[in-house]
Amino acid sequence: MSKQRRYILLSLLPALALLLVFTFYPFLQGVVMAFQNYVLFDLTNVKFIGLQNFETAFQDAKFLSALENSGYWVFFSLILQFLIGLSLALTLRKNFRGRGVYQGFVFYSWALSGFLIGLIWKWMFNSQIGVINDLLMRTGLIDTRIGFLSDPKWAMTSVIIANVWYGIAFFAIMLLAALQSVPADLYEAAEMDGAGGLRKFVNVTFPYILPTVIATTLLRAIWIFNDPSIIYGLTNGGPAGTTHILSSLMLDKIIYGGDYGMAAAIGVIMILILMLYTVFYLFATRSEKAGDF
């Protein structure tokens, strides 16, 4: 081995060591725990139990409810974040007075933590002193205050609204960067062909930013699926577990039950779901052809 290759290998060793210690070892340990009876309050009875944790999970009504909620949580959050973020990006691409202030206002939410956003929206949704109920009452849209976070009919919708507000900034930032990279001569050629605003967007803008759209929607769906912080800040999974998603239920098993085996099994199920989603999504979008005109 040459000196240059040895130097490169030695330079990579610290990073590889960190990955092994803080990423791969915990991951493998978690997979092992998924097949064990590993309860924090009964460490003398840790033993291999095969697929029992997985069987228990799929027989648990809370798990099935969290699995269903995860689908709603990701689908509606992702669609609304993308559509609103794209609209804002198209607006911010134009030069207008106060554009910088407007950009700062749009990107503000991305600077906050998910848990903090959950607490902010918790106060806004409060049935007694929340600003949302107050505005609805003042405008005459409702006669009695709504328990957005205490009513099972409204709770899931409320946490999705908070999550949509949080994620709009991500799409606005990424799509604005992609829009600003579209060559101006493509628009000039489209105008010469008599294309209007809608045709230019469909035939020029969207195909050009399609690789960014595919990458951002894929990443954001994974982040939304894995992130329980807003739900914990808003409802902590309530009322009666109706707003739990898989990631928040997994934390619940650890924090309140100390059941690391069941939590690890839920984590493994989440990994499998994300792997299937990623393969299906990349195949369905044919990402290798994205951006071709």
Side-chain angles (χ1 to χ4, degrees):
M1 186 181 295
S2 66
K3 290 183 178 180
Q4 185 178 12
R5 290 184 177 180
R6 283 200 299 269
Y7 174 77
I8 293 173
L9 179 60
L10 290 173
S11 299
L12 291 174
L13 282 178
L16 290 174
L18 289 173
L19 283 173
L20 288 172
V21 173
F22 294 106
T23 301
F24 294 111
Y25 174 74
F27 170 74
L28 293 175
Q29 185 66 27
V31 173
V32 172
M33 280 185 181
F35 298 93
Q36 291 180 324
N37 176 54
Y38 199 110
V39 180
L40 186 63
F41 308 112
D42 189 18
L43 293 178
T44 58
N45 194 31
V46 176
K47 59 183 178 180
F48 179 78
I49 56 174
L51 297 174
Q52 186 176 323
N53 283 326
F54 297 93
E55 293 173 1
T56 304
F58 281 102
Q59 293 170 1
D60 184 2
K62 279 190 175 181
F63 173 83
L64 297 176
S65 174
L67 182 62
E68 183 180 359
N69 286 343
S70 296
Y72 292 128
W73 169 254
V74 173
F75 179 78
F76 288 107
S77 296
L78 184 67
I79 293 297
L80 293 173
Q81 286 177 10
F82 172 74
L83 292 176
I84 300 173
L86 177 60
S87 301
L88 290 173
L90 290 168
T91 302
L92 291 172
R93 185 179 56 167
K94 302 173 182 178
N95 290 319
F96 55 88
R97 189 174 182 180
R99 180 170 175 262
V101 176
Y102 188 57
Q103 280 183 326
F105 177 75
V106 170
F107 299 156
Y108 165 73
S109 63
W110 199 243
L112 302 176
S113 71
F115 185 76
L116 179 58
I117 288 172
L119 293 178
I120 293 171
W121 280 88
K122 185 175 184 177
W123 283 102
M124 292 173 65
F125 279 126
N126 188 281
S127 59
Q128 300 301 318
I129 60 174
V131 65
I132 294 177
N133 265 302
D134 186 58
L135 289 173
L136 293 174
M137 292 283 288
R138 288 176 184 272
T139 54
L141 295 175
I142 60 173
D143 298 321
T144 57
R145 295 181 176 273
I146 300 173
F148 287 106
L149 303 180
S150 58
D151 188 341
K153 294 186 296 183
W154 286 98
M156 197 64 202
T157 301
S158 300
V159 296
I160 288 174
I161 289 172
N163 193 41
V164 168
W165 181 79
Y166 176 43
I168 287 171
F170 170 76
F171 281 108
I173 294 169
M174 300 301 293
L175 295 177
L176 178 60
L179 288 169
Q180 290 174 336
S181 68
V182 181
D185 56 354
L186 292 179
Y187 292 116
E188 294 173 2
E191 289 174 359
M192 291 176 63
D193 290 338
L198 181 59
R199 281 191 59 194
K200 283 192 291 185
F201 176 78
V202 173
N203 297 326
V204 177
T205 304
F206 194 76
Y208 200 89
I209 68 171
L210 185 57
T212 302
V213 170
I214 291 173
T216 52
T217 50
L218 174 63
L219 290 174
R220 188 68 189 133
I222 293 171
W223 293 344
I224 293 171
F225 185 78
N226 284 328
D227 186 11
S229 57
I230 289 179
I231 288 177
Y232 252 81
L234 266 169
T235 63
N236 200 21
T242 54
T243 58
H244 265 313
I245 59 174
L246 290 179
S247 56
S248 64
L249 181 64
M250 180 177 66
L251 288 179
D252 224 41
K253 295 292 183 182
I254 295 172
I255 296 172
Y256 298 106
D259 194 343
Y260 283 78
M262 179 59 69
I266 295 173
V268 170
I269 293 169
M270 290 174 61
I271 291 171
L272 293 174
I273 291 172
L274 289 176
M275 288 175 64
L276 290 173
Y277 162 75
T278 302
V279 171
F280 172 78
Y281 183 83
L282 293 177
F283 176 78
T285 55
R286 303 183 188 277
S287 59
E288 72 279 358
K289 298 181 180 179
D292 292 345
F293 288 85

